Amino acid sequence: NAGVTQTPKFQVLKTGQSMTLQCAQDMNHNSMYWYRQDPGMGLRLIYYSASEGTTDKGEVPNGYNVSRLNKREFSLRLESAAPSQTSVYFCASSEVLQGAFLWNTIYFGEGSWLTVV
Amino acid sequence: RKEVEQDPGPFNVPEGATVAFNCTYSNSASQSFFWYRQDCRKEPKLLMSVYSSGNEDGRFTAQLNRASQYISLLIRDSKLSDSATYLCVVAQVGGNTPLVFGKGTRLSVIA
């Protein structure tokens, strides 16, 4: 039972390089998310996809792009990496019960440690 | 006022102690509430949902106070394995609005 799988787990980039973080979930969830976590800042939402075919900006979208490839997969791309993007990135997914005003559990991947030098 | 606020701690308590954390939220339309646990260098994991009537799971008790807009987490008989960061999470009505995470409260249980 894999849950949410993200790759790579560790990556070192040079300033200006590009890369894509991959994420896949096997729980048939509609909603997927990308967060970054920095010391003292907590989890901050970068982008999310409420359902297949839609994406929306979160709190800190600048410098990132996303693609909801299908229901299972949601990728995060850094077009031109900057040292300020050094962080731990978490992909997550959840099912939302519309109309019941109740969120189900949000499940996280194990994280991707990214360093930009 | 930030959307979700928590005391960052750290709370250093001896084994067997009872410890309580509070979390305040600013949006009165918030409908769903959760406590997550995050171990060092690991992903956050659901500890428990918080229901209006309050709920208990073993040594853990969660309470919701809508009037004062806060939720609480009580841990009884603390174990060394309870050492972690506890994240308060709040969701708003509508479902498509992303969850809002607090920055977490760090707990260290000492032998």
Side-chain angles (χ1 to χ4, degrees):
Chain A
N1 187 9
V4 180
T5 304
Q6 55 181 110
T7 57
K9 192 169 178 68
F10 300 99
Q11 184 72 49
V12 178
L13 284 177
K14 293 183 179 179
T15 298
Q17 285 185 320
S18 62
M19 78 159 297
T20 300
L21 298 174
Q22 307 285 355
C23 177
Q25 51 91 9
D26 62 4
M27 295 173 282
N28 202 35
H29 285 165
N30 283 323
S31 302
M32 297 186 72
Y33 316 83
W34 276 105
Y35 288 89
R36 61 178 288 174
Q37 189 173 36
D38 304 289
M41 298 298 292
L43 281 160
R44 293 184 293 170
L45 183 65
I46 304 171
Y47 271 93
Y48 70 101
S49 172
S51 59
E52 187 179 356
T54 69
T55 60
D56 286 283
K57 295 179 180 179
E59 183 184 355
V60 288
N62 291 341
Y64 305 95
N65 286 303
V66 291
S67 296
R68 183 75 183 266
L69 304 170
N70 47 56
K71 191 172 185 179
R72 288 187 64 246
E73 299 173 287
F74 188 39
S75 64
L76 178 72
R77 183 162 178 83
L78 287 69
E79 291 291 350
S80 179
S84 61
Q85 294 178 305
T86 294
S87 188
V88 182
Y89 291 85
F90 288 102
C91 178
S93 72
S94 71
E95 189 55 78
V96 178
L97 299 177
Q98 296 287 359
F101 306 120
L102 175 66
W103 281 72
N104 266 348
T105 304
I106 183 169
Y107 295 88
F108 287 86
E110 293 185 339
S112 297
W113 272 254
L114 176 65
T115 301
V116 183
V117 298
Chain B
R1 182 181 177 184
K2 295 181 181 177
E3 290 188 88
V4 177
E5 291 196 73
Q6 297 182 249
D7 181 342
F11 284 63
N12 299 314
V13 302
E15 272 187 294
T18 296
V19 61
F21 310 135
N22 278 347
C23 165
T24 58
Y25 61 94
S26 60
N27 188 339
S28 59
S30 299
Q31 288 291 332
S32 299
F33 309 88
F34 309 89
W35 284 103
Y36 274 69
R37 170 191 169 130
Q38 186 173 24
D39 294 297
C40 187
R41 299 182 68 79
K42 296 289 187 180
E43 74 273 24
K45 293 183 178 178
L46 179 69
L47 178 66
M48 59 197 306
S49 302
V50 186
Y51 304 126
S52 295
S53 55
N55 48 303
E56 186 174 313
D57 183 2
R59 298 182 292 108
F60 299 84
T61 300
Q63 296 280 353
L64 168 63
N65 185 318
R66 287 190 182 274
S68 300
Q69 295 185 202
Y70 76 86
I71 66 172
S72 63
L73 177 67
L74 181 77
I75 306 175
R76 291 181 297 277
D77 188 23
S78 298
K79 311 291 185 189
L80 294 175
S81 58
D82 293 333
S83 297
T85 297
Y86 292 84
L87 307 175
C88 169
V89 185
V90 175
Q92 298 174 4
V93 132
N96 281 341
T97 307
L99 299 175
V100 181
F101 285 78
K103 293 182 181 180
T105 297
R106 186 174 170 191
L107 171 67
S108 290
V109 181
I110 304 162

